[in-house]
Amino acid sequence: MLLTADDVVSVLQKASEKSKKGAKIVKESISTLYKTRNPINAADVIHCRENFSGTRLMNQMRKLVPDILPSRGEESKAVAKLTEEFLAVLLPRRISTGWFIDPARLLEVLLFRYPFLEEEIHAKIQGDAAKMGGRHLTYIGLSFLNNEIKLRGLSYQNPKEIYPVALFYESDSRDNLEENLGKNNFMERLLAEAPPHMKFYLSGDEMFLQSVLSGPGVLSPLTETGWNIYYECNKEYKKSVGPSGLRTDLEVPINRSHPESLFPSIPLTHIVPCILHWFSRCAEKLLMLEVENMFSLANKSAQVSGTTTVDDLIKNLESNISLRGVHQGNFRVPLDKNGKPEKISLNKDDAIAIFSPPPAGKDQEYPNVLTHVVPPAKMVNSLPERVKEFLKLDDSFTEFTCVSLIWESMYKMFQIVQKEPENSLRENATCGSLRPSDYRWGYSEEQKQEYKYHAERLYQLVCLRYSWKNLTPYMIKFIDYGLHFMSHLDIPMCRFSTEGGEHSHYDRNCFYYHHTTRNGGRNSYDPNFAQFSTLWKRLSYEIYNGDDKSASDAFKSHVATHVAAYKIQRCFRMYHIRNKLRKTGYTESPENAEERRGNLESLSKLASETSVNVISKSGKLFSGKSFILTGNVPKHCGSKMTHQTVAKLIEDWGGKVRKNIPGTSKGQSTKKYVLLTNLSGKTGQKIPGIIKDALRRHFPVVDYQFLYDSVACKKVQPYAVYHPPNVEDIKRKISVLPTLQQVHFRKKFRMISLLKEPRKSKILKENVVKVAKKCCSVLRHNEA
């Protein structure tokens, strides 16, 4: 209920305009009058909070407080206006299995959101994959790393300060990244065309960085030279040291070439791994090494004469870790059916809880994790004398001390790089200044020396206790390059963590799935597109209502310019397409089935004419194609052929060869693989499982002759001509899986929607349309 004129007059009589407290009295008086006429108690608030969300909450509030909130019509007009602005400014586009927005346009908008940024801008690109709503989803995000962010009291890991650029289904494997980023690399265009004052960095976990930098099988911890993304060397290089005998004095270079990188414009020195993933993976490895040591034959033989068994050691370890609240106080070492230990999985909080020392005065409540786990047996310190002197170690110590020092050094390294280094005010600078140039930034020399000491101690003791072969790529990366990043980067390493991006990815999906079903509801509304639309609504609201009014006004003009250009382009596009359709014989108002069928043919013809064929940079015959070889290879022109010779032939013509079909454990691959086989079609012939799997996933299965004829003609031959003779029989006996396009993007009614009765609102709408059409026909008849 709105306040009447008498109410306003009575309030103004209580407070004159000249009174200092007038505004406050007016506000309190109007609030008191409103509460007496529209009573809302705590029970109403709880009812709305627990039973409504989003649009339904606003509708309920309109009932409780009428005439206060804008009407649904006004809200719908505002939503339509925001949607038009979103389409015009951020230019959302479809990619293979998802959506992306123009990163250059997003960067322009973010400069209105952060008008206080100085001329030099540092931006971080990060990526991650997670399982959301029963399927894998990958995101590529963008955020700023400038020092101004800290001075303004903002957080680098705040999920609301990290903005998605691309969202697409399936995992962050190389195949999926190539399928969604490689064909139309919008991110690389932004990086290549960026002005000199903009610096870009790349961050992520090890798997994401490997997938971005190189193809499958090139970068991998299992390969001989693929374990180090910064320097190409074999695994023997892990045991190399500098002239002083210290690993940290080796100065391992950063010069590895990655010709297949999806972001070649980002220098290798600007690619920084996430420190939280590093600490968690290293914690898993060190904990697993001690568990494996308990099960070793040497340890078992030592237990024969004693009273402690392997089961006792495992229970002691589980008890010590559970006391720290890991896995909700129920930590267990995973064992397989044969009683052998399996891989231990820890998140960031679990790793910190295990490796950190207990709080002061809580030693009895939280005992050392290694207590009654690692024996106090003496071990000889065989390190060189110069190393002993640098690390200040005795000639002999116990196994318990050795493992404790390893864990302590790794935790100290993590502590140094996890915290934001303190910035100090320069001389003659104003206290409380918001200009980054008035402060000294970066790590102190004490922090660098402390990091070097613990990195060296970690390296030497791991080699002494477990041998250099157990140094993982994560460990050696932070031993070799941690000090380099601390000294040469303008940005502290803690800002490269992907924790905020992962939270942002998770929170946005939870927010969307809180409002609708997991598969997008009956209308199959794509949740990825909804997230981008919601991003624009929030971002534009923050800019319009920000403290900087000049930025708000400039942003308003910026949006109006893009909306006007968008409308002009849309009209021109419609006019252009309409002329093209008329040339193909398109009928604007079809009256029968034949004309409608002709329109479909016209549309398909126009689509084929305007489609863009993506050509690989190499321009070779099999560029962009991946092959899988199965069975025996037939002879070619009388010469014997093997898998090795065929693989070399494919690679010479620009193709790639995979050993098997990518698994579905981390998401189905979006890439089409060509399976080469030698099926004879004889009755009773056993069909390999890999062929059935390929047919289920719509991969072409062809004979090896397809390869030979394509090379001879220098043109890729049609797959259908080279299908084995019994392929159709195999298809009849297997269940074909839906493609990713059918699962995510094809607008198709689900069976449950066809079984359910139509809603009353839909029936009412149909009746209104019928009545309106009937009225229009009557009016036309009367006019005639």
Side-chain angles (χ1 to χ4, degrees), residues 167-293:
L167 293 167
F168 46 91
Y169 293 110
E170 307 311 330
S171 68
D172 56 352
S173 63
R174 176 68 182 196
D175 294 333
N176 202 27
L177 292 178
E178 279 184 350
E179 188 72 13
N180 286 280
L181 302 180
K183 290 184 176 180
N184 181 21
N185 203 332
F186 46 90
M187 291 300 300
E188 176 55 27
R189 287 203 305 271
L190 168 69
L191 301 173
E193 298 171 2
H197 70 274
M198 299 189 71
K199 296 182 180 180
F200 289 92
Y201 304 83
L202 181 66
S203 182
D205 60 7
E206 186 76 8
M207 294 185 64
F208 174 76
L209 295 181
Q210 288 177 357
S211 299
V212 168
L213 292 175
S214 187
V218 179
L219 292 178
S220 171
L222 303 178
T223 59
E224 186 63 27
T225 61
W227 58 275
N228 192 340
I229 65 174
Y230 296 108
Y231 180 58
E232 189 170 1
C233 54
N234 54 29
K235 292 184 177 180
E236 295 282 335
Y237 192 73
K238 291 181 182 180
K239 60 182 181 180
S240 301
V241 293
S244 61
L246 303 179
R247 175 73 183 191
T248 50
D249 289 342
L250 190 58
E251 296 183 0
V252 186
I254 303 179
N255 58 6
R256 183 161 189 165
S257 175
H258 297 286
E260 297 183 356
S261 174
L262 296 176
F263 303 146
S265 297
I266 298 182
L268 200 57
T269 54
H270 284 194
I271 298 177
V272 185
C274 171
I275 61 172
L276 297 179
H277 283 88
W278 158 68
F279 185 69
S280 301
R281 301 293 88 79
C282 290
E284 291 173 355
K285 179 63 178 179
L286 292 178
L287 189 60
M288 197 66 200
L289 287 173
E290 283 307 313
V291 172
E292 291 173 350
N293 191 54

Side-chain angles (χ1 to χ4, degrees), residues 94-98 134-137 168-171 173 175-177 179-180 519 526 528 662-664 666-673 696-699 736-748:
R94 272 281 312 276
I95 46 181
S96 183
T97 61
R135 53 190 153 185
H136 289 83
L137 185 64
F168 46 91
Y169 293 110
E170 307 311 330
S171 68
S173 63
D175 294 333
N176 202 27
L177 292 178
E179 188 72 13
N180 286 280
N519 289 324
D526 192 346
N528 293 338
T664 58
K666 286 203 67 180
Q668 183 178 340
S669 174
T670 59
K671 203 170 185 178
K672 287 285 185 183
Y673 288 82
R696 285 192 184 99
R697 294 165 64 172
H698 306 271
F699 292 165
V736 180
L737 296 172
T739 63
L740 292 174
Q741 297 289 331
Q742 291 172 335
V743 171
H744 300 306
F745 301 116
R746 183 166 293 178
K747 290 187 176 181
K748 182 179 177 182

Side-chain angles (χ1 to χ4, degrees), residues 208-411:
F208 174 76
L209 295 181
Q210 288 177 357
S211 299
V212 168
L213 292 175
S214 187
V218 179
L219 292 178
S220 171
L222 303 178
T223 59
E224 186 63 27
T225 61
W227 58 275
N228 192 340
I229 65 174
Y230 296 108
Y231 180 58
E232 189 170 1
C233 54
N234 54 29
K235 292 184 177 180
E236 295 282 335
Y237 192 73
K238 291 181 182 180
K239 60 182 181 180
S240 301
V241 293
S244 61
L246 303 179
R247 175 73 183 191
T248 50
D249 289 342
L250 190 58
E251 296 183 0
V252 186
I254 303 179
N255 58 6
R256 183 161 189 165
S257 175
H258 297 286
E260 297 183 356
S261 174
L262 296 176
F263 303 146
S265 297
I266 298 182
L268 200 57
T269 54
H270 284 194
I271 298 177
V272 185
C274 171
I275 61 172
L276 297 179
H277 283 88
W278 158 68
F279 185 69
S280 301
R281 301 293 88 79
C282 290
E284 291 173 355
K285 179 63 178 179
L286 292 178
L287 189 60
M288 197 66 200
L289 287 173
E290 283 307 313
V291 172
E292 291 173 350
N293 191 54
M294 297 177 193
F295 285 83
S296 64
L297 295 176
N299 202 3
K300 286 184 178 180
S301 62
Q303 295 165 10
V304 174
S305 58
T307 57
T308 306
T309 63
V310 175
D311 294 337
D312 295 332
L313 295 175
I314 292 294
K315 288 179 180 178
N316 292 338
L317 178 65
E318 292 174 345
S319 176
N320 293 340
I321 295 178
S322 296
L323 285 173
R324 299 186 171 216
V326 178
H327 292 182
Q328 291 78 43
N330 191 30
F331 176 81
R332 293 291 180 271
V333 175
L335 304 174
D336 60 12
K337 59 182 179 181
N338 297 323
K340 294 183 179 180
E342 294 182 331
K343 186 179 182 299
I344 297 173
S345 179
L346 301 173
N347 60 27
K348 176 254 304 182
D349 293 331
D350 293 340
I352 293 175
I354 293 174
F355 279 74
S356 64
K362 299 287 185 179
D363 296 345
Q364 298 298 326
E365 189 175 349
Y366 302 105
N368 192 315
V369 173
L370 302 174
T371 304
H372 306 305
V373 174
V374 179
K378 286 189 176 183
M379 59 182 297
V380 179
N381 186 355
S382 58
L383 297 175
E385 291 298 327
R386 298 179 66 179
V387 176
K388 290 181 187 178
E389 183 180 352
F390 178 80
L391 299 179
K392 301 175 183 179
L393 295 175
D394 298 330
D395 292 336
S396 64
F397 43 74
T398 63
E399 294 183 21
F400 179 87
T401 303
C402 180
V403 179
S404 298
L405 292 177
I406 292 174
W407 287 27
E408 180 187 3
S409 289
M410 195 185 74
Y411 183 71

Side-chain angles (χ1 to χ4, degrees), residues 120-183:
E120 191 172 60
I121 295 175
H122 301 268
K124 178 181 69 173
I125 299 171
Q126 61 184 40
D128 185 59
K131 196 169 185 179
M132 300 287 182
R135 53 190 153 185
H136 289 83
L137 185 64
T138 301
Y139 91 101
I140 305 294
L142 180 71
S143 62
F144 289 124
L145 303 175
N146 284 55
N147 295 325
E148 295 93 320
I149 303 290
K150 180 183 178 182
L151 294 178
R152 300 277 173 165
L154 303 177
S155 173
Y156 298 99
Q157 301 301 328
N158 186 353
K160 292 185 178 180
E161 307 291 339
I162 300 171
Y163 305 92
V165 177
L167 293 167
F168 46 91
Y169 293 110
E170 307 311 330
S171 68
D172 56 352
S173 63
R174 176 68 182 196
D175 294 333
N176 202 27
L177 292 178
E178 279 184 350
E179 188 72 13
N180 286 280
L181 302 180
K183 290 184 176 180

